[in-house]
Amino acid sequence: DVMRWLFLRQPPASNLNFGWGYGDEIKRGFLSTLWNTYSFFTTYANIDGWTPATASDNGNERLELDRWVLSELNRLVRGVTAALEGYDSMTAARQIEDFVEGLSNWYVRRSRRRFWKSESDADKHTAYATLYTCLETLNRLLAPMTPFLAEDVYQNLVRSWAPHAPESVHLTDWP
């Protein structure tokens, strides 16, 4: 998946420097940020016993930060869909990288206190539901580009909580 991402994010007309160093940059940068965000969510959701089944749609109770990240997610879905329909994997990959950076550095960092609260209130559940929505949708966007990583995340993020869900991320609908 590291090599796939390396090739997908490069302009096809330019030469690609190949080697362990470039693969490590992708792994330490984008993929580590994505994995750390996913790991943060699963760790705290498991500690608090949160599941998507217990989530309720508190659209009116969402903070501005929640609404912002969901808006960015919808923009990402439109952008990646348009880019991939135009056979422009570079634009799609870079849009995904930008979203993951924003999700990690803006949403998660500014919401940490919401996840760390000792009481389990509506605000905490809304934060979990928002981050779950972002990760689950992002995973479906990543599936054609990083199939093994997306499958691993899907099995833990979706199938562990919803055994009736499609057997694989590659059998789910495009967001």
Side-chain angles (χ1 to χ4, degrees):
D1 283 348
V2 170
M3 295 309 296
R4 277 188 188 88
W5 196 260
L6 183 65
F7 282 107
L8 287 169
R9 69 179 305 275
Q10 291 298 116
S14 65
N15 290 334
L16 176 66
N17 293 327
F18 186 78
W20 293 110
Y22 297 106
D24 282 341
E25 283 180 33
I26 296 295
K27 191 168 83 173
R28 275 181 287 144
F30 166 68
L31 292 176
S32 288
T33 302
L34 174 63
W35 190 262
N36 289 340
T37 304
Y38 158 72
S39 179
F40 174 87
F41 170 79
T42 55
T43 299
Y44 287 101
N46 287 334
I47 288 170
D48 289 333
W50 184 89
T51 65
T54 62
S56 62
D57 186 18
N58 295 330
N60 296 335
E61 297 177 18
R62 290 191 196 275
L63 295 179
E64 188 173 358
L65 188 60
D66 297 331
R67 292 191 308 267
W68 168 79
V69 78
L70 292 174
S71 172
E72 290 296 310
L73 179 65
N74 289 328
R75 182 184 302 165
L76 176 70
V77 170
R78 282 192 309 273
V80 169
T81 301
L84 291 179
E85 285 176 351
Y87 302 102
D88 185 3
S89 65
M90 182 186 76
T91 299
R94 299 227 171 141
Q95 287 176 350
I96 290 172
E97 286 177 348
D98 290 343
F99 177 78
V100 168
E101 190 69 26
L103 182 66
S104 173
N105 288 333
W106 282 96
Y107 184 75
V108 172
R109 280 192 182 173
R110 279 151 185 79
S111 296
R112 278 188 183 154
R113 288 189 185 107
R114 296 168 69 193
F115 294 106
W116 291 344
K117 287 193 249 183
S118 57
E119 68 274 358
S120 185
D121 61 358
D123 181 46
K124 189 175 195 176
H125 288 284
T126 302
Y128 278 127
T130 301
L131 187 53
Y132 177 82
T133 299
C134 290
L135 290 171
E136 192 271 331
T137 304
L138 179 63
N139 195 51
R140 288 188 285 152
L141 291 174
L142 284 169
M145 296 179 263
T146 57
F148 299 111
L149 174 68
E151 186 63 31
D152 189 41
V153 170
Y154 178 81
Q155 291 302 319
N156 189 34
L157 189 66
V158 178
R159 290 276 295 172
S160 65
W161 286 325
H164 62 280
E167 198 171 310
S168 170
V169 68
H170 305 291
L171 300 175
T172 62
D173 292 334
W174 185 255

